């Protein structure tokens, strides 16, 4: 009788390559050898390639995985509705998640506390099934802005945190996952980042929409012209912000503007003026600390399709693009008189347009706090990570250092 341990490694690798990413836990409990192998090598490689986009989204304060297949949509084939599955891990099933940030296969989740205005932080590695709750120095506030990144030299993952209210930042802090410690950063910044403009991670750094701070002096004019937005990066290796970089369009506060990334290689920017129905998307051809170049990717007029007044929400829309098919998928909450729905809009060249319902949302849009609005969390296809984040691993690394 053949048992699992008798199988050749070639056959084992072929079997494990076809395991769905969220079934790896069952594999680990099947065989001790497979359990050890899964913690040092990424399995399910064939499964990851089969699904073009594996994303994470928030749905009614629950974190969900979503598979999105765009195969054949421009050739008359029927679109296959995305598969949405609620994450049921022990650490996440009983909490309300309000924001999620992705970097290098890790997810940083902001959860809602019972006490008003207070939140908690947890880092999750979906592939390894590890979670780690991050304790604050004092407490977290619901308007805090976060970013997840890493030091490119040491591959040390870090969390940036700052409080932003009307562009005024009182404190910048950074958390080192390896040392399990917070540090205050000595940063004076002339640019402000609003809490609802979520950043996008790219090669360890995070990019934000930002605006020049406005200070009205006594005896001066009561108001001045609003400055348009720029692209601002935070370097997790140097632990400081870079110089302001130009966006491909003049973006103002009521306009819809959001960032995405393409395979963790280059940023993409979506823009819709508050007074226009045209949606424009650009991608970068070059992105460096001191320079950026943009090229148009897609433009579509939504007025014939959705009416003159349709606008993606300026504080909540998120998107990803398929560069080969020249298609974008934009996510937001749509509202009717009685209820709200999570919705995906597929837009492409030659007026291609399709609206996909993703199910009913619990709350009406007017009752959802702006800081809680975050329908999509991972804007590119998810790639599993072997980065260990649990406390046992950190203690082991510290002990190794003591022995040396």
């Amino acid at each position: 009788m053949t048992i699992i341990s008798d199988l050749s490694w070639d056959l084992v690798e072929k079997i494990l390559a076809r395991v769905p990413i969220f079934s790896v836990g069952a594999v680990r409990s099947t065989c001790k050898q497979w359990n050890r192998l899964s913690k040092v090598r990424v399995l399910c490689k064939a499964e990851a390639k089969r699904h073009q986009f594996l994303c994470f989204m928030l749905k009614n304060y629950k974190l969900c995985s979503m598979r999105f297949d765009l195969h054949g949509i421009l050739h008359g084939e029927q679109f296959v509705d995305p598969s949405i599955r609620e994450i049921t891990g022990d650490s996440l099933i009983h909490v309300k998640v309000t924001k999620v940030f992705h970097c290098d296969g890790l997810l940083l989740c902001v959860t809602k506390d019972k006490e008003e205005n207070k939140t908690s932080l947890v880092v999750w590695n979906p592939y390894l099934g590890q979670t780690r709750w991050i304790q604050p120095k004092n407490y977290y506030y619901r308007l805090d802005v976060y970013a997840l990144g890493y030091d490119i030299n040491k591959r040390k993952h870090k969390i940036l945190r700052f409080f932003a209210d009307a562009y005024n930042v009182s404190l910048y802090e950074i958390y080192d996952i390896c040392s399990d410690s917070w540090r205050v950063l000595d940063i004076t910044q002339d640019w402000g980042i609003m809490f609802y403009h979520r950043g996008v991670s790219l090669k360890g750094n995070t990019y934000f929409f930002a605006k020049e701070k406005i200070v009205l002096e006594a005896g001066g004019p009561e108001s001045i012209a609003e400055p348009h937005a720029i692209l601002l990066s935070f370097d997790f290796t140097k632990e400081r912000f870079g110089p302001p970089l130009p966006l491909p369009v003049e973006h103002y506060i009521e306009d819809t503007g959001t960032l995405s990334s393409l395979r963790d290689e280059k940023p993409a920017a979506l823009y819709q003026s508050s007074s226009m129905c045209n949606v424009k998307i650009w991608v970068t051809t070059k992105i460096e600390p001191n320079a950026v170049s943009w090229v148009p990717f897609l433009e579509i007029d939504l007025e014939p399709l959705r009416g003159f007044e349709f606008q993606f929400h300026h504080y909540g829309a998120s998107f990803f693009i398929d560069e080969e098919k020249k298609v974008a998928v934009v996510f937001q909450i749509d509202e009717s008189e009685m209820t709200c729905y999570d919705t995906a809009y597929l837009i492409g060249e030659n007026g291609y347009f399709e609206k996909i319902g993703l199910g009913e949302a619990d709350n009406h849009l007017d009752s959802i706090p702006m800081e809680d609005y975050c329908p999509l969390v991972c804007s590119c296809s998810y790639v599993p990570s072997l980065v260990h984040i649990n406390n046992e691993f950190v203690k082991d690394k510290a002990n190794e250092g003591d022995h040396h």
Side-chain angles (χ1 to χ4, degrees), residues 7 82 117-118 121 158 170 179 272-274 301 307 317 336 365 386:
L7 300 177
N117 293 333
K118 300 294 179 62
L121 284 186
K158 305 175 184 180
S170 58
S179 64
Q272 183 184 12
S273 168
S274 60
D301 183 4
S336 64
L365 198 58
L386 291 174

Side-chain angles (χ1 to χ4, degrees), residues 306-320:
R306 295 291 295 167
F308 177 74
E309 295 185 352
F310 180 81
Q311 183 187 8
F312 290 120
H313 299 308
H314 72 279
Y315 53 81
S318 48
F319 75 105
F320 66 77

Side-chain angles (χ1 to χ4, degrees), residues 196-198 255-256 312-317 365 368-370 373:
Y196 56 81
H197 276 159
R198 298 177 300 277
D255 297 337
T256 297
F312 290 120
H313 299 308
H314 72 279
Y315 53 81
L365 198 58
I368 302 175
M370 186 185 298
Y373 188 96

Side-chain angles (χ1 to χ4, degrees), residues 22 54-58 63-66 87 92 97 99-111 121-127 130-134 146-149 157-159 177 201 376-383 385 387 389:
F22 293 103
L54 173 58
C55 308
F56 293 91
M57 69 176 293
L58 290 182
L63 186 60
C64 301
S65 64
M66 178 176 63
I87 302 299
L92 298 172
V97 182
K99 301 184 188 76
V100 182
F101 307 87
H102 169 256
C103 174
D104 197 30
L106 302 180
L107 298 182
L108 172 64
C109 303
V110 182
T111 69
L121 284 186
V122 58
V123 179
W124 178 46
N125 185 325
Y127 175 72
Q130 296 178 356
T131 54
R132 182 170 176 187
W133 291 92
I134 309 299
Y146 299 97
L148 180 63
H157 290 75
K158 305 175 184 180
I159 300 169
I177 291 180
S201 175
L376 179 69
V377 302
C378 177
S379 55
C380 58
S381 192
Y382 175 76
V383 177
S385 168
V387 175
I389 57 172

